[in-house]
Protein backbone atom coordinates (compact mmCIF):
# COMPACT_ATOMS: atom_id res chain seq x y z
CA UNK A 1 0.00 0.00 0.00
CA UNK A 2 2.92 2.36 0.73
CA UNK A 3 5.07 1.42 -2.24
CA UNK A 4 3.95 4.30 -4.53
CA UNK A 5 5.39 6.80 -2.04
CA UNK A 6 8.63 5.02 -1.22
CA UNK A 7 10.58 7.09 -3.74
CA UNK A 8 9.93 10.23 -1.69
CA UNK A 9 11.70 8.77 1.33
CA UNK A 10 15.45 9.20 1.78
CA UNK A 11 17.37 5.94 1.16
CA UNK A 12 19.23 6.16 4.47
CA UNK A 13 15.88 6.18 6.27
CA UNK A 14 14.48 3.23 4.36
CA UNK A 15 17.51 0.95 4.74
CA UNK A 16 17.74 1.51 8.49
CA UNK A 17 21.04 3.42 8.42
CA UNK A 18 19.52 6.77 9.44
CA UNK A 19 21.14 8.53 12.38
CA UNK A 20 21.24 12.04 13.75
CA UNK A 21 24.24 14.20 12.79
CA UNK A 22 27.16 13.97 15.20
CA UNK A 23 29.48 16.93 15.78
CA UNK A 24 32.99 17.00 17.20
CA UNK A 25 31.60 18.43 20.45
CA UNK A 26 33.45 21.71 20.18
CA UNK A 27 30.43 23.82 19.33
CA UNK A 28 32.30 25.11 16.27
CA UNK A 29 32.47 22.04 14.03
CA UNK A 30 33.74 23.35 10.69
CA UNK A 31 33.00 20.09 8.89
CA UNK A 32 29.34 20.16 9.96
CA UNK A 33 29.11 23.83 9.03
CA UNK A 34 30.57 23.08 5.58
CA UNK A 35 27.99 20.34 5.03
CA UNK A 36 25.18 22.71 6.03
CA UNK A 37 26.41 25.45 3.70
CA UNK A 38 26.62 22.99 0.81
CA UNK A 39 22.99 21.96 1.37
CA UNK A 40 21.90 25.60 1.58
CA UNK A 41 23.74 26.38 -1.66
CA UNK A 42 21.96 23.47 -3.34
CA UNK A 43 18.66 24.90 -2.05
CA UNK A 44 19.36 28.18 -3.87
CA UNK A 45 21.08 30.39 -1.30
CA UNK A 46 24.33 32.31 -1.61
CA UNK A 47 26.33 34.70 0.57
CA UNK A 48 26.11 38.46 0.20
CA UNK A 49 28.64 39.69 2.69
CA UNK A 50 28.07 37.64 5.84
CA UNK A 51 24.41 36.79 5.22
CA UNK A 52 22.69 34.19 3.05
CA UNK A 53 20.24 35.41 0.42
CA UNK A 54 17.98 33.66 -2.05
CA UNK A 55 19.75 33.82 -5.41
CA UNK A 56 16.49 34.33 -7.32
CA UNK A 57 14.60 36.77 -5.10
CA UNK A 58 17.44 38.37 -3.17
CA UNK A 59 15.52 37.82 0.08
CA UNK A 60 17.71 37.19 3.14
CA UNK A 61 17.36 33.85 4.91
CA UNK A 62 15.80 34.80 8.22
CA UNK A 63 13.07 33.57 10.58
CA UNK A 64 11.70 33.99 14.10
CA UNK A 65 11.66 31.54 17.00
CA UNK A 66 8.67 32.01 19.30
CA UNK A 67 9.23 31.16 22.99
CA UNK A 68 7.38 31.65 26.27
CA UNK A 69 9.78 30.52 29.01
CA UNK A 70 13.34 31.26 30.10
CA UNK A 71 14.43 27.71 29.32
CA UNK A 72 13.03 27.94 25.79
CA UNK A 73 14.69 31.33 25.34
CA UNK A 74 18.11 29.99 26.35
CA UNK A 75 17.87 27.14 23.85
CA UNK A 76 16.62 29.44 21.09
CA UNK A 77 19.40 31.97 21.68
CA UNK A 78 22.05 29.25 21.55
CA UNK A 79 20.56 27.92 18.32
CA UNK A 80 20.34 31.39 16.76
CA UNK A 81 24.00 31.98 17.65
CA UNK A 82 25.03 28.84 15.76
CA UNK A 83 22.83 29.68 12.77
CA UNK A 84 24.45 33.11 12.54
CA UNK A 85 27.73 31.37 11.73
CA UNK A 86 25.97 29.92 8.68
CA UNK A 87 24.74 33.35 7.55
CA UNK A 88 21.18 32.85 8.82
CA UNK A 89 19.61 35.67 10.84
CA UNK A 90 17.25 34.44 13.56
CA UNK A 91 15.26 36.57 15.99
CA UNK A 92 13.91 35.22 19.28
CA UNK A 93 10.56 36.60 20.41
CA UNK A 94 9.45 36.07 24.01
CA UNK A 95 5.70 36.23 24.62
CA UNK A 96 3.47 35.33 27.55
CA UNK A 97 1.89 31.87 27.80
CA UNK A 98 -1.54 33.02 26.56
CA UNK A 99 -0.18 34.70 23.43
CA UNK A 100 2.12 31.75 22.80
CA UNK A 101 -0.83 29.31 22.84
CA UNK A 102 -2.94 31.58 20.64
CA UNK A 103 -0.21 31.87 18.03
CA UNK A 104 0.63 28.17 18.22
CA UNK A 105 -3.00 27.10 17.70
CA UNK A 106 -3.30 29.51 14.76
CA UNK A 107 0.08 28.40 13.31
CA UNK A 108 1.23 32.02 13.53
CA UNK A 109 4.94 31.32 13.96
CA UNK A 110 8.09 30.36 12.08
CA UNK A 111 9.54 27.97 14.68
CA UNK A 112 8.54 26.82 18.16
CA UNK A 113 9.66 24.22 20.66
CA UNK A 114 7.10 21.46 21.19
CA UNK A 115 6.70 17.94 22.55
CA UNK A 116 4.45 15.26 21.08
CA UNK A 117 3.59 12.66 23.71
CA UNK A 118 3.25 9.14 22.34
CA UNK A 119 1.90 5.88 23.69
CA UNK A 120 3.19 2.36 23.01
CA UNK A 121 0.10 1.76 20.86
CA UNK A 122 -0.32 4.66 18.38
CA UNK A 123 -3.86 5.35 17.19
CA UNK A 124 -6.17 8.06 15.87
CA UNK A 125 -4.05 10.81 17.41
CA UNK A 126 -1.45 10.30 14.68
CA UNK A 127 -3.79 11.90 12.13
CA UNK A 128 -4.18 14.82 14.55
CA UNK A 129 -0.39 15.13 14.80
CA UNK A 130 0.72 14.63 11.20
CA UNK A 131 -2.26 14.19 8.84
CA UNK A 132 -2.83 16.42 5.82
CA UNK A 133 -6.32 17.39 6.99
CA UNK A 134 -4.91 18.49 10.33
CA UNK A 135 -2.40 20.72 8.54
CA UNK A 136 -5.27 22.86 7.26
CA UNK A 137 -7.23 22.86 10.54
CA UNK A 138 -6.28 25.37 13.26
CA UNK A 139 -5.98 23.89 16.72
CA UNK A 140 -4.43 20.55 15.77
CA UNK A 141 -0.87 19.48 16.65
CA UNK A 142 0.39 19.34 13.09
CA UNK A 143 2.45 22.43 13.86
CA UNK A 144 4.97 21.80 11.08
CA UNK A 145 2.23 21.74 8.46
CA UNK A 146 3.09 18.26 7.22
CA UNK A 147 0.99 17.62 4.11
CA UNK A 148 2.22 14.38 2.59
CA UNK A 149 0.20 11.54 1.01
CA UNK A 150 2.82 9.07 2.26
CA UNK A 151 2.08 10.11 5.85
CA UNK A 152 -1.66 9.79 5.28
CA UNK A 153 -1.22 6.35 3.72
CA UNK A 154 0.88 5.13 6.66
CA UNK A 155 -1.66 6.41 9.20
CA UNK A 156 -4.57 4.82 7.31
CA UNK A 157 -2.71 1.51 7.09
CA UNK A 158 -2.03 1.64 10.83
CA UNK A 159 -5.69 2.33 11.68
CA UNK A 160 -6.97 -0.36 9.32
CA UNK A 161 -4.56 -3.06 10.54
CA UNK A 162 -6.28 -6.01 12.23
CA UNK A 163 -3.19 -8.13 12.91
CA UNK A 164 -0.13 -7.11 14.91
CA UNK A 165 2.45 -7.63 12.09
CA UNK A 166 0.47 -5.32 9.79
CA UNK A 167 0.15 -2.75 12.58
CA UNK A 168 3.88 -2.81 13.37
CA UNK A 169 4.80 -2.49 9.68
CA UNK A 170 2.51 0.53 9.28
CA UNK A 171 3.86 2.26 12.40
CA UNK A 172 7.44 1.72 11.25
CA UNK A 173 6.57 3.08 7.81
CA UNK A 174 5.07 6.18 9.44
CA UNK A 175 8.20 6.60 11.56
CA UNK A 176 10.43 6.45 8.48
CA UNK A 177 8.34 8.90 6.48
CA UNK A 178 8.33 11.39 9.35
CA UNK A 179 12.11 11.11 9.77
CA UNK A 180 12.57 11.53 6.04
CA UNK A 181 10.62 14.78 6.09
CA UNK A 182 13.01 16.34 8.65
CA UNK A 183 10.11 18.29 10.17
CA UNK A 184 11.72 18.75 13.58
CA UNK A 185 15.10 19.24 15.21
CA UNK A 186 15.33 16.72 18.07
CA UNK A 187 16.17 17.97 21.56
CA UNK A 188 16.84 16.10 24.80
CA UNK A 189 17.54 12.62 23.49
CA UNK A 190 19.55 10.95 26.31
CA UNK A 191 19.96 7.17 26.05
CA UNK A 192 18.72 6.58 29.61
CA UNK A 193 16.73 8.05 32.48
CA UNK A 194 18.68 9.47 35.39
CA UNK A 195 16.90 8.91 38.70
CA UNK A 196 18.08 9.79 42.21
CA UNK A 197 16.45 7.88 45.07
CA UNK A 198 17.05 6.67 48.60
CA UNK A 199 18.39 3.12 48.85
CA UNK A 200 15.35 2.20 50.94
CA UNK A 201 13.12 2.87 47.92
CA UNK A 202 12.99 -0.28 45.79
CA UNK A 203 11.87 -0.76 42.20
CA UNK A 204 11.16 -3.72 39.87
CA UNK A 205 14.21 -5.33 38.29
CA UNK A 206 12.90 -4.48 34.82
CA UNK A 207 11.48 -1.10 33.76
CA UNK A 208 8.58 -0.54 31.36
CA UNK A 209 9.37 0.30 27.75
CA UNK A 210 8.11 3.83 28.40
CA UNK A 211 10.57 4.26 31.30
CA UNK A 212 10.48 4.18 35.07
CA UNK A 213 7.05 4.16 36.73
CA UNK A 214 7.48 5.53 40.29
CA UNK A 215 3.97 4.39 41.17
CA UNK A 216 5.23 0.79 40.97
CA UNK A 217 8.06 1.41 43.50
CA UNK A 218 7.81 0.57 47.17
CA UNK A 219 9.35 1.38 50.54
CA UNK A 220 11.63 -1.22 52.11
CA UNK A 221 11.34 -0.76 55.86
CA UNK A 222 14.24 -3.17 56.45
CA UNK A 223 16.70 -0.98 54.59
CA UNK A 224 18.15 1.91 56.54
CA UNK A 225 19.65 4.93 54.83
CA UNK A 226 22.92 5.98 56.51
Amino acid sequence: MLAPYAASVRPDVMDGSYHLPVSDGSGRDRKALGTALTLLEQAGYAFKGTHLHNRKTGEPLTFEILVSTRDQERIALAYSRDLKRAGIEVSVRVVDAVQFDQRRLAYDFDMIQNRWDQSLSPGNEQAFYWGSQAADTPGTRNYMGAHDPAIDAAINAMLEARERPDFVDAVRALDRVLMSGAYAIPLYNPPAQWIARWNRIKSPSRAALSGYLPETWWFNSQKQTP
Side-chain angles (χ1 to χ4, degrees):
M1 184 182 299
L2 302 177
Y5 307 111
S8 67
V9 181
R10 284 172 22 197
D12 62 326
V13 174
M14 291 304 291
D15 66 14
S17 64
Y18 174 82
H19 60 273
L20 294 173
V22 178
S23 74
D24 62 9
S26 68
R28 302 182 66 85
D29 190 330
R30 296 180 62 85
K31 181 178 179 181
L33 178 61
T35 300
L37 291 176
T38 297
L39 292 172
L40 287 166
E41 182 180 2
Q42 293 173 355
Y45 291 93
F47 272 101
K48 287 185 179 180
T50 59
H51 297 89
L52 282 174
H53 290 71
N54 187 295
R55 282 196 293 264
K56 292 182 178 179
T57 66
E59 292 289 330
L61 181 53
T62 180
F63 63 90
E64 177 185 273
I65 303 177
L66 188 68
V67 302
S68 65
T69 69
R70 288 292 186 185
D71 287 341
Q72 290 181 351
E73 183 182 16
R74 281 194 289 266
I75 294 172
L77 288 173
Y79 185 48
S80 65
R81 177 197 62 210
D82 293 338
L83 289 178
K84 187 175 182 179
R85 295 179 56 231
I88 303 171
E89 285 294 326
V90 178
S91 61
V92 178
R93 180 180 294 274
V94 183
V95 298
D96 60 50
V98 174
Q99 186 177 358
F100 182 86
D101 281 340
Q102 289 176 340
R103 291 186 59 175
R104 178 175 61 179
L105 293 174
Y107 311 138
D108 183 18
F109 57 84
D110 295 328
M111 177 180 283
I112 60 171
Q113 295 174 45
N114 189 67
R115 185 183 75 185
W116 290 269
D117 293 319
Q118 300 286 354
S119 74
L120 295 178
S121 183
N124 292 324
E125 76 284 349
Q126 300 304 307
F128 191 71
Y129 289 171
W130 330 111
S132 296
Q133 185 174 356
D136 301 323
T137 306
T140 72
R141 294 184 184 177
N142 188 348
Y143 300 122
M144 69 286 293
H147 203 294
D148 187 339
I151 294 177
D152 296 335
I155 294 174
N156 290 336
M158 179 189 71
L159 297 177
E160 293 173 0
R162 294 298 177 265
E163 301 294 335
R164 177 172 172 76
D166 295 335
F167 179 77
V168 171
D169 289 345
V171 172
R172 288 177 174 172
L174 175 60
D175 185 56
R176 283 165 169 75
V177 175
L178 290 174
M179 286 193 296
S180 175
Y183 297 109
I185 300 171
L187 289 173
Y188 306 123
N189 191 36
Q193 284 181 288
W194 297 338
I195 302 292
R197 60 178 175 83
W198 283 313
N199 59 4
R200 60 190 175 188
I201 303 299
K202 310 303 289 184
S203 62
S205 58
R206 295 181 61 185
L209 292 176
S210 56
Y212 289 119
L213 299 174
E215 60 267 29
T216 66
W217 296 4
W218 65 91
F219 176 77
N220 183 0
S221 59
Q222 304 301 317
K223 183 70 174 179
Q224 297 297 323
T225 300

